[in-house]
Amino acid sequence: MRNANIHEAKTHLSQLIKSVLAGEDVIISRAGKPLVRLIPYEGPSEPRQPGAWEGQIIMADDFDEESSEINALFYGDEI
């Protein structure tokens, strides 16, 4: 495990990233107290595609209608 203070992390960020990608744990600290841990990104590698959810989302017919009860709760009006 590698510890780096904030100044070192700002100065050597690319080297710290290489260490993380090589499997090493990297902790960034301030005044000797650990603050954050660098980890590799594990999200989707491909960008989202427009229309991927097409046909899977259904909006209710009354979606845009207002409810006087809900408006009263939000705005403090009497029902």
Side-chain angles (χ1 to χ4, degrees):
M1 181 182 340
R2 181 171 177 183
N3 283 315
N5 62 36
I6 292 178
H7 175 72
E8 180 185 355
K10 288 166 49 176
T11 306
H12 302 289
L13 181 59
S14 59
Q15 287 91 352
L16 293 175
I17 290 172
K18 285 179 186 177
S19 296
V20 169
L21 294 176
E24 187 175 357
D25 287 338
V26 175
I27 306 293
I28 299 175
S29 303
R30 179 189 299 143
K33 294 182 181 178
L35 296 176
V36 297
R37 179 173 58 107
L38 294 181
I39 60 170
Y41 179 69
E42 295 179 358
S45 58
E46 298 179 10
R48 298 186 317 170
Q49 297 296 319
W53 284 80
E54 189 171 347
Q56 298 181 41
I57 306 288
I58 299 171
M59 298 289 267
D61 292 334
D62 64 348
F63 178 78
D64 288 327
E65 293 179 14
E66 290 190 18
S67 164
S68 59
E69 181 180 355
I70 292 175
N71 284 344
L73 293 170
F74 271 101
Y75 303 115
D77 299 331
E78 300 223 2
I79 300 176

